[in-house]
Amino acid sequence: MESVRRSSRTETEAVGAFWRWWSVAGAGLITAAVMSGVYGDLPEIIGAMVMAIHPELNWETGPGTRSRHRLCVTGGGDPRLRVLAERWRRAAPASTEAWEFAAAREPQPGMATGTLEGLAEPVDLGRARITVDWDERSALAELTVYHPAFTGMGTNDCRQAGRLLVDWLIGEDDVQRWVGAINVARTDPRDSQPAAVVPEFFHAVAARNSDPRWTMREAKTSSGHRVIVCALRPLRWIDHPLLDLHTAVRISYRRTGNDGLPDDGLPDGEALLGLLHLEKNLDAVLGARGTLVASETSNGLRVLHYYTDSEDQNGRDSFDRFARDRQEVQVAHTGDPGWGRVQKFI
């Protein structure tokens, strides 16, 4: 844990150093560079400061939505890096007429008619076509990107071009939110459509899934005990990018077999009321510091899956104090950007 805290302090110091530089000199230098097209060694300076936060972070500039220009620091879809980029963004000064700040590539649909340079050959993105295979159960799409130029390009260049195109079409965060896989093809797949129309599909998807809802599923263990799983759907870490600490709250309860009924592993009536009371008390203690995303109930044990900000020591301590006062409660904390521990509930 101490090494994690040292790393966190280093990242925090690097973020602070970046914004001090920006306030003193950086904003003026990069504004002049964008206006004149003369960057000198400024890209190397900015790159070094961003890499001091984490060596795998990248940065780019582009047109803004509310300001003339946007400065973006991106982790390229990596949940670990998205947390750092978000901390960088939240430490930023207020947007100005000239500059706004983003922690992920935002949609730039106009790029779909531009040309992507820097690969084995220029890619005219206006000729790209995409197949969308939507899975209603998981609320995730599998995309296949085709371009005639892919026939003469290596696999890595094809994948890079496909990923950048999708990022520009719907934005890096919506790729995380709604896309399960991005494939590339060297022949035009059946049911493909011009890339430029794909954002319309995802606008409709977002409208249908704007409010996560609790769902319940039931299964049985190999021993015949019932398993009740409740989970938010759609379950998306990208809606809470700073909540990177998973806490499993394990609560033992009295099973139905203790009151003369058949033992199906679920709580009896009194135990169920006790569980609901415990959860209400825990939510009151935690407050807005975190969120409950799923629960599993089976064989005398309920497991609540919470996420909080790993930088918020008070959040972690709230769980620990809650468990210390209750013999039937145990907690375990695990760093989990990307919410891998609850992916089985999607």
Side-chain angles (χ1 to χ4, degrees):
M1 180 60 67
E2 187 58 32
S3 63
V4 172
R5 287 175 181 156
R6 280 199 299 269
S7 175
S8 177
R9 284 197 296 270
T10 300
E11 293 156 356
T12 300
E13 290 168 1
V15 168
F18 182 96
W19 291 119
R20 286 193 297 274
W21 170 81
W22 178 270
S23 298
V24 172
L29 290 172
I30 195 169
T31 300
V34 169
M35 298 298 290
S36 67
V38 179
Y39 286 82
D41 60 357
L42 191 56
E44 288 75 20
I45 293 172
I46 297 175
M49 299 189 76
V50 170
M51 289 180 66
I53 302 171
H54 194 285
E56 295 178 45
L57 286 172
N58 292 297
W59 69 278
E60 59 188 46
T61 60
T65 302
R66 298 161 298 279
S67 306
R68 288 195 302 274
H69 312 291
R70 176 187 297 127
L71 175 62
C72 172
V73 166
T74 171
D78 186 321
R80 299 173 303 116
L81 301 178
R82 181 63 175 82
V83 173
L84 296 178
E86 185 69 17
R87 298 198 196 285
W88 170 87
R89 185 191 69 82
R90 296 196 185 196
S95 298
T96 64
E97 185 179 336
W99 287 99
E100 63 188 41
F101 311 102
R105 293 187 182 98
E106 299 193 6
Q108 298 184 51
M111 295 293 289
T113 59
T115 300
L116 179 60
E117 306 281 354
L119 301 178
E121 60 179 281
V123 178
D124 175 5
L125 296 176
R127 301 180 65 191
R129 297 182 66 84
I130 297 179
T131 297
V132 180
D133 185 6
W134 177 253
D135 179 15
E136 190 64 40
R137 188 193 68 80
S138 65
L140 289 170
E142 182 175 353
L143 305 183
T144 301
V145 182
Y146 162 75
H147 195 285
F150 287 174
T151 57
M153 296 168 57
T155 300
N156 287 340
D157 278 355
C158 292
R159 288 175 177 167
Q160 183 179 353
R163 174 68 196 225
L164 282 172
L165 173 60
V166 175
D167 282 352
W168 287 330
L169 285 171
I170 66 174
E172 199 171 74
D173 282 352
D174 267 357
V175 171
Q176 291 293 330
R177 194 171 280 117
W178 306 120
V179 179
I182 301 175
N183 308 309
V184 293
R186 292 185 170 90
T187 57
D188 193 356
R190 187 168 57 89
D191 299 330
S192 69
Q193 53 192 321
V197 307
V198 168
E200 297 177 14
F201 174 85
F202 286 102
H203 291 158
V205 163
R208 293 199 308 269
N209 296 276
S210 59
D211 296 317
R213 295 182 293 272
W214 282 98
T215 61
M216 184 175 73
R217 287 181 287 171
E218 181 173 339
K220 280 194 175 182
T221 67
S222 58
S223 60
H225 291 121
R226 295 168 65 193
V227 181
I228 304 296
V229 174
C230 296
L232 281 175
R233 289 177 60 84
L235 188 57
R236 300 293 188 257
W237 68 268
I238 195 61
D239 294 326
H240 310 277
L242 290 184
L243 301 189
D244 59 342
L245 180 69
H246 173 263
T247 297
V249 181
R250 301 166 64 87
I251 309 172
S252 301
Y253 59 78
R254 193 177 76 166
R255 293 155 33 155
T256 51
N258 292 313
D259 55 11
L261 296 174
D263 182 8
D264 60 3
L266 297 183
D268 63 18
E270 183 179 348
L272 181 58
L273 291 176
L275 286 171
L276 296 175
H277 183 68
L278 274 175
E279 291 176 31
K280 184 177 180 181
N281 287 343
L282 179 54
D283 285 340
V285 168
L286 188 62
R289 294 183 181 278
T291 187
L292 174 68
V293 300
S295 70
E296 304 169 86
T297 305
S298 180
N299 202 21
L301 184 68
R302 174 166 288 183
V303 182
L304 306 176
H305 297 271
Y306 282 89
Y307 280 90
T308 58
D309 184 345
S310 62
E311 292 288 290
D312 181 5
Q313 187 65 36
N314 290 326
R316 181 196 299 260
D317 289 347
S318 295
F319 289 112
D320 293 340
R321 286 194 302 271
F322 189 84
R324 276 198 301 269
D325 296 337
R326 295 165 175 84
Q327 186 176 1
E328 72 276 25
V329 179
Q330 295 179 323
V331 298
H333 308 290
T334 308
D336 187 26
W339 295 10
R341 290 183 168 262
V342 295
Q343 289 305 299
K344 60 186 177 182
F345 303 131
I346 288 181

